[in-house]
Amino acid sequence: MFQTLYSYFWWERLWLPANLTWADLEDRDGRVYAKASDLYITLPLAFLFLIVRHLFETYVATPLAGLLNVKEKIRLKATPNAVLEKFYAATTKHPKQADVELLSKRSGCSVRQVERWFRRRRNQDRPSLLKKFREASWRFTFYLIAFIAGMAVIVDKPWFYDLREVWKGYPIQSMLPSQYWYYMIELSFYWSLLFSIASDVKRKDFKEQIIHHVATIILISFSWFANYIRAGTLIMALHDSSDYLLESAKMFNYAGWRNTCNNIFIIFAAVFIITRLVILPFWIMHCTVVYPLDLYPAFFGYYFFNFMMVVLQSLHIFWAYLIIRMAQKFITGKVVEDERSDREETDNSEEEEEAAKNGPLSNGHPVLNNNHRKTD
């Protein structure tokens, strides 16, 4: 049965145009082609990335945080309370007023003490500023190096300037060593992101992030199997072109460099919109949807590859909406927080509680002004 499934999975008509077989992509005459077995190396490389990340965050990002004066905010811990802890873990982290009153009776605490306990308990679960800075530093470093390496791989290739060259001679297109390593490193990195996503900083778009990582891994892997390598390198470089800007803006945000963060974020927003909402759909996707049909009839691989491109593009539109909202607030001078993140709840002293209680409120939180540090 396994052999039957294996045969169906690698059926040529799923992966290659009509009248072509895997035999046509066997290495010969000095020409080397992509093979599925090449991707086995990406899993051990992904774990190597996790080790390198740990070392980088410990010996590079942490000292850098100290140099940039990234300071942890003092958080008061919630007093141990079995009744409240059980409700927090099993029911909800945000109890309604009726639940608060019931918990007050069951725990022997006042309503105000219950509300304060839940605020402090939620803050305990939020990632520290140092954790956020270290994560942003690691991603910034990788994305910047990957973008530079990606441009070095494709900038001298004819298909970088003429997208019709992407399909010239397809699928009999020999693989270059630089393309091999670019693919292996990119795919390994996204595997490492997927492996570490449970322990990384969780944001409101957690589910979208999982979808993005899985879709990216599938798209990179499939493009390798089907020898869509030229298109794949263009797509990967295009994505890396804006990611390092976002991570650098986060780093300056955590360091309290508000003006620098604002300026970098505006540049990031412009690059993101141009690359993800203009170049990708109107150049790259046009290249993958229209040009191949001039050479061969559509087949399953053609439809599957472009379907995954549509999934990624849908996520880009979702994130572009959040980015435009944030950029609009930057331009109008309003305080901007990462739309994907939960806000730190102020509860460090009785004075702050009174200020929050008596001062202007917005959704239960004090209204912030431009003199406050932004939180991611």
Side-chain angles (χ1 to χ4, degrees):
M1 182 179 177
F2 177 79
Q3 185 61 38
T4 301
L5 293 175
Y6 182 86
S7 300
Y8 276 118
F9 183 81
W10 292 111
W11 184 37
E12 284 95 343
R13 295 292 69 79
L14 292 179
W15 303 92
L16 302 174
N19 301 323
L20 286 167
T21 67
W22 294 117
D24 296 315
L25 296 180
E26 292 180 355
D27 298 347
R28 63 172 64 90
D29 302 327
R31 297 173 66 88
V32 179
Y33 299 96
K35 304 174 187 63
S37 59
D38 293 334
L39 300 189
Y40 290 148
I41 195 177
T42 60
L43 293 178
L45 280 178
F47 287 104
L48 179 60
F49 263 119
L50 294 177
I51 296 173
V52 173
R53 172 181 175 175
H54 174 73
L55 296 175
F56 176 89
E57 290 183 350
T58 302
Y59 298 106
V60 179
T62 300
L64 180 61
L67 291 175
L68 294 177
N69 202 28
V70 177
K71 294 181 178 179
E72 291 288 2
K73 186 174 183 179
I74 299 175
R75 295 174 176 174
L76 297 180
K77 294 184 178 181
T79 304
N81 188 304
V83 174
L84 300 182
E85 185 66 38
K86 182 178 179 180
F87 187 91
Y88 180 88
T91 307
T92 180
K93 299 178 181 180
H94 298 272
K96 297 180 180 178
Q97 188 60 36
D99 296 324
V100 171
E101 293 175 359
L102 179 61
L103 289 170
S104 173
K105 296 176 181 178
R106 292 173 56 188
S107 64
C109 302
S110 68
V111 170
R112 185 175 180 183
Q113 287 175 327
V114 172
E115 292 173 341
R116 181 189 302 136
W117 188 93
F118 273 91
R119 283 196 297 270
R120 292 179 178 177
R121 186 65 182 83
R122 287 193 294 268
N123 282 341
Q124 283 179 225
D125 282 351
R126 291 192 172 92
S128 67
L129 197 63
L130 178 59
K131 178 179 174 65
K132 293 178 180 180
F133 181 87
R134 287 162 44 142
E135 180 179 309
S137 300
W138 164 247
R139 297 194 185 197
F140 164 76
T141 302
F142 175 82
Y143 288 135
L144 179 60
I145 295 174
F147 174 63
I148 295 172
M151 293 304 296
V153 169
I154 64 175
V155 73
D156 61 338
K157 306 300 186 295
W159 53 87
F160 181 73
Y161 305 95
D162 181 2
L163 293 180
R164 289 189 179 276
E165 291 287 331
V166 167
W167 305 107
K168 186 176 180 180
Y170 177 85
I172 313 300
Q173 296 174 338
S174 182
M175 176 187 64
L176 303 174
S178 58
Q179 294 172 325
Y180 171 86
W181 285 111
Y182 187 35
Y183 255 81
M184 296 305 108
I185 291 173
E186 285 276 353
L187 184 55
S188 300
F189 179 74
Y190 280 102
W191 273 120
S192 73
L193 290 184
L194 190 61
F195 294 155
S196 64
I197 196 168
S199 59
D200 287 343
V201 176
K202 287 187 176 65
R203 297 183 171 87
K204 293 178 182 178
D205 63 346
F206 178 74
K207 294 180 180 178
E208 289 81 4
Q209 285 285 352
I210 294 178
I211 294 173
H212 174 268
H213 296 341
V214 172
T216 301
I217 289 171
I218 292 174
L219 190 59
I220 294 176
S221 300
F222 182 86
S223 66
W224 183 261
F225 297 157
N227 211 26
Y228 276 34
I229 295 177
R230 293 182 181 180
T233 53
L234 291 174
I235 294 168
M236 290 189 294
L238 190 70
H239 279 73
D240 291 336
S241 65
S242 61
D243 289 339
Y244 70 91
L245 291 171
L246 175 61
E247 301 303 330
S248 63
K250 289 181 183 179
M251 291 169 62
F252 286 113
N253 180 31
Y254 304 143
W257 296 28
R258 291 182 293 276
N259 291 334
T260 304
C261 169
N262 294 357
N263 293 332
I264 294 178
F265 185 85
I266 294 299
I267 297 172
F268 158 74
V271 174
F272 184 96
I273 291 171
I274 291 172
T275 56
R276 309 289 181 94
L277 300 188
V278 179
I279 296 178
L280 186 64
F282 296 106
W283 271 269
I284 304 299
M285 291 183 68
H286 181 267
C287 168
T288 61
V289 172
V290 177
Y291 294 164
L293 299 181
D294 294 337
L295 303 174
Y296 53 81
F299 62 105
F300 174 80
Y302 165 87
Y303 290 116
F304 183 80
F305 182 84
N306 286 295
F307 169 75
M308 297 307 299
M309 290 290 291
V310 170
V311 172
L312 280 183
Q313 187 59 29
S314 299
L315 291 172
H316 295 158
I317 294 172
F318 167 73
W319 282 317
Y321 166 72
L322 299 180
I323 290 168
I324 291 172
R325 283 178 56 183
M326 295 171 67
Q328 185 179 20
K329 292 178 182 179
F330 272 124
I331 295 172
T332 56
K334 296 180 181 179
V335 166
V336 178
E337 296 180 353
D338 191 333
E339 297 283 353
R340 305 171 301 156
S341 299
D342 292 328
R343 178 183 297 166
E344 180 85 9
E345 295 175 90
T346 302
D347 188 28
N348 285 340
S349 66
E350 291 296 326
E351 291 77 14
E352 286 183 353
E353 284 189 10
E354 290 300 322
K357 180 178 179 181
N358 300 323
L361 297 176
S362 174
N363 295 326
H365 299 284
V367 174
L368 303 179
N369 57 51
N370 281 329
N371 293 323
H372 288 71
R373 175 177 295 188
K374 299 181 293 300
T375 58
D376 179 81

